[in-house]
Amino acid sequence: MADLKDFAEKLVNLTVKEVNELATILKDEYGIEPAAAAVAVAAGGGAGAEAAEEQSEFDVVLKAAGSSKLAVVKLVKELTGLGLKEAKELVDGAPSNVKEGVSKDEAEALKAQLEEAGAEVELK
């Protein structure tokens, strides 16, 4: 357990450059694409964290419709301006982007609306 705590502390204290190098190694050698959020968290405790830019645009990604698919389809239709058939196809094709390049506030509001309708959502 102590080894894992030491490892976690080392990860948290990586510089931005080291995090980027780690992400490249994981992708090139192991085929693992680190999530942007995980990279940002790891970079947050590093000495170069002040150089990291805050994300200004987000994508709202529907992970799953959840238990209330009809409500989610209707909400996706309303939020995107798609027709009912296209909204259903978007929901059926989850994970899929509902909105791209939106502000943090708008992304969080859309996420809250979709989760209230029963969907599983993430911001990227």
Side-chain angles (χ1 to χ4, degrees):
M1 186 69 160
D3 289 339
L4 286 177
K5 285 184 179 182
D6 291 342
F7 180 68
E9 187 172 328
K10 287 178 184 178
L11 282 176
V12 170
N13 290 318
L14 291 175
T15 66
V16 172
K17 181 180 178 185
E18 291 170 329
V19 170
N20 288 331
E21 290 173 4
L22 176 61
T24 300
I25 291 169
L26 289 173
K27 181 179 177 188
D28 293 347
E29 294 186 22
Y30 301 100
I32 299 170
E33 191 79 38
V39 172
V41 168
E50 59 276 355
E53 291 182 32
E54 185 175 332
Q55 186 174 347
S56 63
E57 291 188 348
F58 295 83
D59 295 342
V60 179
V61 180
L62 177 68
K63 290 174 30 178
S67 61
S68 195
K69 183 177 175 181
L70 182 57
V72 173
V73 169
K74 288 180 180 180
L75 183 57
V76 167
K77 177 185 180 297
E78 177 186 322
L79 295 174
T80 62
L82 295 172
L84 188 59
K85 179 181 177 186
E86 292 83 6
K88 181 185 178 301
E89 288 172 354
L90 188 144
V91 171
D92 287 342
S96 52
N97 289 346
V98 175
K99 288 270 189 170
E100 296 178 347
V102 297
S103 70
K104 182 178 181 179
D105 291 340
E106 183 180 357
E108 289 175 348
L110 293 171
K111 182 178 187 277
Q113 283 182 289
L114 287 161
E115 287 177 341
E116 187 175 313
E120 292 178 36
V121 182
E122 71 177 326
L123 303 180
K124 288 191 173 185

